[in-house]
Amino acid sequence: MLDITQPPSQPLIAASILSADFGAMADDCRDVLGKGADLLHIDVMDGHFVPNLTMGADMIRGVRRHFPDVFLDVHLMVEQPGDYVDSFAEAGANLFAFHIEVCKPMRLEGVDAGELIKSIRDVGMSPGMVVNPPTTIAQLDAGMGPYLGDLDLALVMSVNPGRSGQKFISEVLDKTRWLKERSAPGMRIEMDGGLNLETTPQAVAVGADVIVTASALFGSDDRAHVINTMKAAGA
Ligand code: DX5
Ligand code: ZN
């Protein structure tokens, strides 16, 4: 199993199964893992935080059954992430990443990130925190700053979440740079959304070391080339 706290020598490639063939999920995952993807990224949407509905504990459990040794990075685009900590841990998730936008102080009556991080650790998962494109560096500082030492991963969204296949928003690179300057060696910096062969070098240049890819990978007829080229982005 991948140790997410170890700084990688090349960017890790997280294959987002949102663009996999849902009718052939295990086959599609096996294909990208065989071609060098380092982990699987699972996008959970609740129809409230974002309009779309995608997958939950049953999908995590199903993927885990087929791939007992693969790191499962779960990205929760949901209003109440705390409701899913126990069931996702039991289903086999390794990393549980929730949005800063549902937490205090961005949301007055929102989630207490410190308590949530502790509950994620208590069930043996790695905590991650996610920031959307419109959220500013000042809001990032206030909402994630106090927890940077407690997180295994910070995720910078480079599209507005909800679906695959959108265009990379390059303005968010300032946030990746900001996080890189403040991150300990044990914390990974992930970017998600619109990453392809053109945009991945920009993300890696400012400090991203986990690259999420859905459409650019699953939509390609040369997936090995996509993975190898993305991995070489830092060289
Ligand atoms: C977007 C999801 C992403 C998405 C990325 O809401 O969080 O993980 O699958 O898709 P691409 O790589 O196609 O932008
Ligand atoms: Zn995602």
Side-chain angles (χ1 to χ4, degrees):
M1 178 74 68
L2 171 75
D3 178 359
I4 200 77
T5 65
Q6 283 303 108
S9 56
Q10 287 185 311
L12 299 171
I13 305 304
S16 165
I17 66 170
L18 192 55
S19 283
D21 179 344
F22 276 40
M25 186 53 79
D27 292 342
D28 239 359
C29 290
R30 193 171 296 109
D31 183 62
V32 293
L33 291 165
K35 289 173 176 158
D38 298 286
L39 60 151
L40 296 174
H41 180 90
I42 300 181
D43 285 309
V44 175
M45 305 186 192
D46 67 351
H48 295 282
F49 183 70
V50 291
N52 203 358
L53 269 172
T54 54
M55 38 200 153
D58 294 324
M59 178 64 88
I60 298 169
R61 189 176 299 108
V63 172
R64 171 57 73 216
R65 192 165 53 236
H66 285 269
F67 305 101
D69 302 323
V70 172
F71 191 93
L72 302 182
D73 158 21
V74 181
H75 173 195
L76 289 96
M77 286 153 275
V78 309
E79 292 286 331
Q80 299 293 343
D83 291 353
Y84 305 97
V85 172
D86 292 340
S87 59
F88 283 16
E90 179 270 323
N94 297 106
L95 183 130
F96 185 103
F98 59 96
H99 273 262
I100 188 175
E101 291 84 11
V102 301
C103 297
K104 298 180 177 102
M106 282 190 74
R107 187 173 294 180
L108 226 50
E109 303 290 316
V111 173
D112 181 314
E115 283 174 14
L116 182 56
I117 289 168
K118 187 179 175 310
S119 70
I120 295 166
R121 287 254 184 239
D122 284 346
V123 293
M125 293 187 292
S126 277
M129 216 164 159
V130 193
V131 58
N132 273 342
T135 299
T136 65
I137 286 187
Q139 289 170 315
L140 182 62
D141 193 10
M144 203 188 296
Y147 308 109
L148 286 176
D150 306 322
L151 295 169
D152 285 351
L153 177 139
L155 166 51
V156 179
M157 290 305 299
S158 37
V159 298
N160 287 306
R163 57 189 172 83
S164 300
Q166 304 183 74
K167 190 177 172 296
F168 185 75
I169 300 170
S170 58
E171 285 76 15
V172 307
L173 290 166
D174 287 341
K175 279 184 273 191
T176 310
R177 207 179 282 114
W178 186 93
L179 282 163
K180 178 66 183 170
E181 285 164 5
R182 286 157 185 80
S183 68
M187 190 182 86
R188 303 279 65 75
I189 302 178
E190 182 173 53
M191 288 191 75
D192 181 8
L195 287 153
N196 53 36
L197 299 189
E198 201 177 306
T199 53
T200 296
Q202 302 173 36
V204 173
V206 293
D209 51 17
V210 185
I211 298 297
V212 177
T213 170
S215 53
L217 175 60
F218 286 98
S220 169
D221 50 20
D222 192 351
R223 294 169 170 181
H225 173 72
V226 172
I227 292 170
N228 293 335
T229 311
M230 284 183 165
K231 278 180 174 290

